[in-house]
Amino acid sequence: MIQIKNAKELAAMRRACEISAQALKLGGESIEAGITTADIDKIIFNFIKKQGAKPNFKGLYGFPGTACISVNDEVIHGIPSKSKVIRPGDIVSIDTGAALNGFNGDNACTFGCGKLDLEAQRLLDVTRESLHCGIRAAICGGRVGDISNAVQTYVEQNGFSVVRTFVGHGVGKELHEDPEVPNYGPAGRGPRLVAGMTLAIEPMVNQKHYSVSTASDGWTVRTADGGLSAHFEHSIAITAAGPEVLTKAWEGAGWTL
């Protein structure tokens, strides 16, 4: 069932999302050659706890980290590790969130370590812009499929592929709520978008084919062909005035659609 939030609930959710975005931004700023993904995870954990919030990924379905930290061909769900060292030219996807006062935030961004090659940088730029395309399509009276189609169209026009196996979702009192928000499919399909819906839109985009596989650790998802993958995500609210980005702090407070 899709949960519609009232004004009081949205106000509470904004703070959880703000902390989530600040934690993600801090994690990205910590990326440098030689740091481990466990180091990044600890930085994010300490920040969220300092804000009086709960790291909502930690322990969820048994996941051991505060953040999913996925490097290069890892799509999502990378387990933070002391043995995974970031090197120059790596792309690092961080997906994390915080819970506060009964509400959750969820967001992700792929960062580069130092100077990236042109194709890796283009993958990041296209994936980030596809997220913006999806958000712009999230208007009252539309359908979830409008978001999906906007993401897929932009990605494929630029020669990349959209992961099918994993999708975005509703977010609010639970980290994962209805409805599912795929990053592919026809416009005009799916649940109607109404004011008070809160969604996590999260394009996962592969450099080559969209097929993925799960590693033996049961968590880490990689591209099946070894190509790079990028992941960007915002939590948003559907409002009568247009989509409100609740986790905008990692993009900068001045970011607009």
Side-chain angles (χ1 to χ4, degrees), residues 212-237:
V212 299
S213 62
T214 302
S216 59
D217 63 19
W219 283 104
T220 307
V221 177
R222 290 188 171 90
T223 60
D225 53 24
L228 298 175
S229 187
H231 180 200
F232 285 79
E233 176 185 22
H234 272 309
S235 292
I236 72 161

Side-chain angles (χ1 to χ4, degrees), residues 66-208:
T66 298
C68 300
I69 306 179
S70 309
V71 182
N72 294 333
D73 67 331
E74 297 173 348
V75 182
I76 51 173
H77 301 165
I79 298 174
S81 171
K82 292 181 180 179
S83 64
K84 189 176 292 184
V85 179
I86 304 303
R87 294 177 170 80
D90 283 347
I91 62 171
V92 184
S93 299
I94 301 176
D95 186 3
T96 194
L100 184 71
N101 297 327
F103 287 90
N104 289 270
D106 188 8
N107 51 191
C109 179
T110 303
F111 304 91
C113 179
K115 185 175 178 59
L116 302 181
D117 67 40
L118 292 178
E119 184 71 353
Q121 185 61 59
R122 196 171 76 86
L123 175 65
L124 267 60
D125 293 342
V126 167
T127 307
R128 182 170 177 167
E129 181 56 27
S130 77
L131 170 60
H132 297 173
C133 290
I135 293 170
R136 286 192 288 267
I139 58 175
C140 279
R143 299 276 187 178
V144 167
D146 300 341
I147 300 170
S148 308
N149 187 258
V151 171
Q152 181 180 16
T153 298
Y154 185 79
V155 168
E156 293 182 353
Q157 283 175 345
N158 282 276
F160 297 120
S161 65
V162 177
V163 171
R164 266 78 163 159
T165 311
F166 299 91
V167 299
H169 51 90
V171 61
K173 292 181 180 178
E174 303 294 333
L175 183 59
H176 297 125
E177 295 183 348
D178 291 333
E180 290 191 343
V181 185
N183 296 303
Y184 64 96
R189 304 278 184 88
R192 183 75 67 183
L193 300 173
V194 300
M197 288 176 67
T198 48
L199 306 174
I201 301 174
E202 52 176 323
M204 291 154 271
V205 176
N206 290 353
Q207 180 185 21
K208 300 178 183 178

Side-chain angles (χ1 to χ4, degrees), residues 6-70:
N6 60 33
K8 183 177 180 181
E9 290 171 327
L10 279 177
M13 190 168 169
R14 285 188 186 99
R15 179 55 182 156
C17 286
E18 180 183 13
I19 294 170
S20 301
Q22 291 171 341
L24 177 60
K25 185 171 185 287
L26 185 63
E29 290 171 345
S30 74
I31 293 172
E32 61 181 2
I35 196 170
T36 70
T37 58
D39 294 332
I40 298 169
D41 193 72
K42 185 176 181 180
I43 289 167
I44 294 171
F45 175 84
N46 288 341
F47 175 82
I48 292 173
K49 295 294 286 185
K50 188 175 181 179
Q51 308 311 305
K54 174 185 175 183
N56 55 11
F57 281 34
K58 196 168 184 67
L60 184 69
Y61 314 128
F63 187 75
T66 298
C68 300
I69 306 179
S70 309

